[in-house]
Amino acid sequence: MEWKGKIPWAPFAGAVVWAAGFFQETPPWLRPVLAVVGAALWMRWVSQIDSAGRAGWVGWAAGTLFYVPVLVWLPGTVVTYSTMPRPVAWLLILLLDAYLGAYWGLWAWSVVGLRRYPWGIRAWPWAGALLWVGLSQVRSTVLTGFPWGQIETLLVEWSWVVQWGDLLGGFAIGGWLLLAGWALMQMAHGVGRVALGGLGGSRLRFAIRHLLSAILLTVLLWFFPWAYGRWARGYWQAQAARTETLSVRIIQPSIPQDLKMTASHALDWFRRQIDLSYLNEPGQVQLVVWPEGSVPFYLGPDTVWWSLLQDLQRHNRAYLLLGADRWARRSPPVVHNSVFLLDPELRVVDFYDKVHLVPFGEYVPLASVLFFVDRMVQGIGDFTPGVRLKPIESPWGPLGVQVCFESIFPDLSRRLVRAGARLLITVTNDAWFGWSSGAFQHLLHTRLRVIETRRALLFVANSGISARLDPDGTLRWKTPLWADTAVDDDRVPLMPGGLTVWVRWGWAINTVSWVVTLSLLGLAGWPSRHVRQESQGPAGIDTTRL
């Protein structure tokens, strides 16, 4: 494929197909299909292009195209809740799209570069899968990390496919997806060549052998997830049925973000949460959970809402988990985005300070350089990250509480469970997203954390979507967007202390992933003397094109 040739359609079609899966309007059954089709289109293109440079540029353009619709909710959020002008907001978001798309370009450039080596002619799909996994890890780490739009999350509706995420982590499923797409592409190509005919003698026999090999590879790639997934779902469902359970009420007050940011309405929306929290009978549930930032400003006995909380706790006789700012008396003083566990007497049992803040939402990175952005985001809090990731201690054992987008980072959930968490709870304020697909995407990414850690998860969002997931990944219930509601659940599993392979050895898997990724990138960019040799089958059939 030469530079002056036609613009390849396959990578852009694959990007559009993948992006379609991240819209909440897409039927759930269709998302895994889109994931596989997108992978087949993406691998079809990268198998045919010969120029590493062009592969990099086209891959970057396709990746950017993918992120523009996936993150389409972001410019409106920035414009609505900051003083940033709309053109500047769109420019900054497009730069973010381009940055994230650069990982796709780097992947394509590297894969084509690896095909220069004799071993790369046949091994490039496997090397590409490893590289995709590694670059996902890099993207979740560099510049504070932003692993949004992970294609493997589209597979969660096929629960049996993703069960092996408890072995190698969710990112590994993305690499497997590319291999599955490549095998499907090979099989379709083989069927086409055999069906069209016109091949004589040895060419036809070779084409048939190639087709049979592609079918065998496809079967093997799908058999392991199916077999392991079938066993794992049954095993973890049985474990959840036997374990201790917790009765909870989750509060979804659906308070618009502009009201939350207006001091004159603070008492009104706080009372809305109080009203939703009152139980019909004292002790009806053990724990009431409020979303992120559910207390205006600070939590303390000198505030007007403290007396309202006292009345609530006297009636409910239940523990209360809520989000509030925490003032840390240091020099200079700092403010944390925190979650508190209060007992029925309104005493603080434990608290957690959010460790992974949202760039430009909770703080401005490189504020001395981005001084103009600092002025534009006035009114959006400038928090300090917590010093330690830790579960919240409770009467039922440690609770792994995560705030907002912390739940999209696999390593944070893994470390919480390794520290003893029996249950994962994500509290978030997704009112920033409005009616867009942002809230849906947040929950979609979080679902893989359940598979990886084998802990049930409560997802409690101010404006929805709130949900509960079981350790096998089953979505037990979810609430609609912007529904003013409270949900009682008396069967939330508190899993015992067993650790999955990913939880126990995830640090080693991540280390190996980094080493392999850097090695493959080095090989792809190394000015090698090896000249790519085409692998010729019988009668001159180019097997790299089959």
Side-chain angles (χ1 to χ4, degrees):
M1 186 176 292
E2 300 296 330
W3 265 105
K4 295 183 180 179
K6 296 187 297 183
I7 297 177
W9 62 270
F12 297 100
V16 170
V17 167
W18 274 334
F22 285 92
F23 286 90
Q24 58 189 345
E25 295 82 8
T26 302
W29 63 267
L30 185 57
R31 289 191 191 100
V33 177
L34 294 175
V36 176
V37 172
L41 290 169
W42 189 252
M43 296 296 277
R44 178 188 186 276
W45 162 69
V46 82
S47 71
Q48 294 179 339
I49 191 168
D50 293 322
S51 168
R54 190 182 190 203
W57 284 109
V58 173
W60 169 73
T64 303
L65 175 65
F66 167 81
Y67 278 104
V68 168
V70 170
L71 298 179
V72 71
W73 46 266
L74 198 49
T77 299
V78 174
V79 170
T80 302
Y81 301 114
S82 76
T83 58
M84 188 177 296
R86 184 176 296 273
V88 177
W90 272 101
L91 175 61
L92 289 178
I93 302 308
L94 287 175
L95 289 175
L96 174 62
D97 296 333
Y99 161 72
L100 296 172
Y103 286 94
W104 293 39
L106 179 60
W107 180 87
W109 171 83
S110 301
V111 169
V112 176
L114 291 171
R115 291 215 312 266
R116 296 174 303 157
Y117 297 93
W119 55 266
I121 295 173
R122 293 187 180 276
W124 71 265
W126 307 91
L130 291 172
L131 192 59
W132 188 274
V133 176
L135 288 176
S136 295
Q137 181 67 29
V138 173
R139 186 157 58 89
S140 71
T141 306
V142 174
L143 298 178
T144 77
F146 190 56
W148 201 276
Q150 293 293 130
I151 57 173
E152 61 271 10
T153 60
L154 299 177
L155 293 172
V156 295
E157 300 297 343
W158 287 349
S159 181
W160 55 272
V161 173
V162 298
Q163 293 296 319
W164 62 280
D166 64 357
L167 300 177
L168 298 177
F171 289 159
I173 300 173
W176 172 88
L177 177 58
L178 291 186
L179 286 175
W182 170 68
L184 181 65
M185 178 268 296
Q186 291 282 85
M187 189 170 63
H189 192 79
V191 169
R193 289 183 65 86
V194 172
L196 288 175
L199 298 176
S202 60
R203 290 191 175 190
L204 178 60
R205 288 193 298 274
F206 183 80
I208 292 174
R209 286 200 302 270
H210 176 83
L211 173 59
L212 293 176
S213 298
I215 293 174
L216 177 61
L217 177 62
T218 302
V219 170
L220 291 175
L221 281 173
W222 287 91
F223 176 76
F224 169 74
W226 173 81
Y228 183 81
R230 184 174 179 180
W231 170 82
R233 287 202 66 187
Y235 175 82
W236 289 105
Q237 285 173 353
Q239 289 290 102
R242 290 195 297 263
T243 192
E244 178 188 357
T245 59
L246 178 69
S247 59
V248 303
R249 168 174 289 191
I250 69 100
I251 304 302
Q252 182 179 303
S254 295
I255 303 163
Q257 189 58 33
D258 54 351
L259 289 183
K260 288 183 73 71
M261 298 175 66
T262 305
S264 59
H265 292 90
L267 189 57
D268 294 334
W269 62 256
F270 185 77
R271 280 179 170 147
R272 185 188 303 183
Q273 296 173 123
I274 291 286
D275 293 341
L276 289 170
S277 301
Y278 268 97
L279 304 175
N280 293 331
E281 297 179 5
Q284 178 181 335
V285 300
Q286 296 165 284
L287 177 67
V288 178
V289 184
W290 288 11
E292 174 193 13
S294 46
V295 175
F297 311 111
Y298 303 103
L299 180 67
D302 56 340
T303 58
V304 64
W305 30 84
W306 189 261
S307 61
L308 296 175
L309 284 174
Q310 285 179 319
D311 293 339
L312 174 68
Q313 291 300 84
R314 288 194 194 101
H315 171 81
N316 280 355
R317 307 307 300 168
Y319 284 76
L320 177 63
L321 188 76
L322 51 75
D325 298 348
R326 188 177 76 87
W327 181 280
R329 295 180 179 178
R330 301 179 192 169
S331 182
V334 297
V335 181
H336 298 288
N337 186 356
S338 303
V339 178
F340 295 85
L341 179 64
L342 306 177
D343 71 6
E345 305 299 327
L346 214 57
R347 293 173 298 209
V348 176
V349 177
D350 200 0
F351 65 89
Y352 164 69
D353 297 328
K354 183 178 182 182
V355 298
H356 201 125
L357 302 180
V358 180
F360 303 104
E362 293 173 313
Y363 79 107
V364 176
L366 304 175
S368 60
V369 177
L370 301 176
F371 58 92
F372 58 97
V373 176
D374 189 29
R375 289 198 298 269
M376 291 177 181
V377 296
Q378 291 175 11
I380 300 179
D382 195 3
F383 291 100
T384 298
V387 296
R388 186 165 67 95
L389 181 72
K390 68 177 186 68
I392 285 181
E393 296 297 333
S394 79
W396 317 282
L399 304 177
V401 177
Q402 296 179 290
V403 183
C404 192
F405 90 142
E406 286 184 321
S407 62
I408 73 173
F409 294 90
D411 202 51
L412 295 183
S413 300
R414 182 190 69 81
R415 289 163 55 194
L416 282 171
V417 173
R418 188 169 175 81
R422 301 184 65 191
L423 171 69
L424 294 177
I425 302 176
T426 297
V427 294
T428 183
N429 175 25
D430 287 347
W432 303 95
F433 300 142
W435 286 95
S436 74
S437 293
F440 158 75
Q441 293 173 11
H442 189 186
L443 177 60
L444 185 69
H445 286 79
T446 302
R447 291 179 67 174
L448 279 178
R449 307 293 82 82
V450 173
I451 300 292
E452 293 166 342
T453 61
R454 297 303 181 183
R455 296 296 185 268
L457 184 139
L458 287 172
F459 194 88
V460 185
N462 166 36
S463 56
I465 304 169
S466 300
R468 189 199 112 192
L469 293 130
D470 278 354
D472 69 318
T474 300
L475 181 64
R476 284 296 175 188
W477 53 261
K478 66 177 182 178
T479 62
L481 272 177
W482 294 104
D484 186 356
T485 186
V487 179
D488 289 353
D489 190 334
D490 61 357
R491 298 291 300 170
V492 179
L494 292 170
M495 300 302 290
L499 302 181
T500 66
V501 174
W502 164 251
V503 170
R504 190 179 298 275
W505 297 103
W507 64 271
I509 295 170
N510 289 341
T511 301
V512 171
S513 179
W514 274 88
V515 171
V516 170
T517 300
L518 293 176
S519 299
L520 290 175
L521 290 175
L523 287 172
W526 191 262
S528 174
R529 295 181 178 272
H530 294 292
V531 178
R532 180 186 170 198
Q533 302 174 4
E534 300 291 344
S535 175
Q536 299 294 326
I541 294 179
D542 181 2
T543 62
T544 65
R545 294 289 188 262
L546 286 175

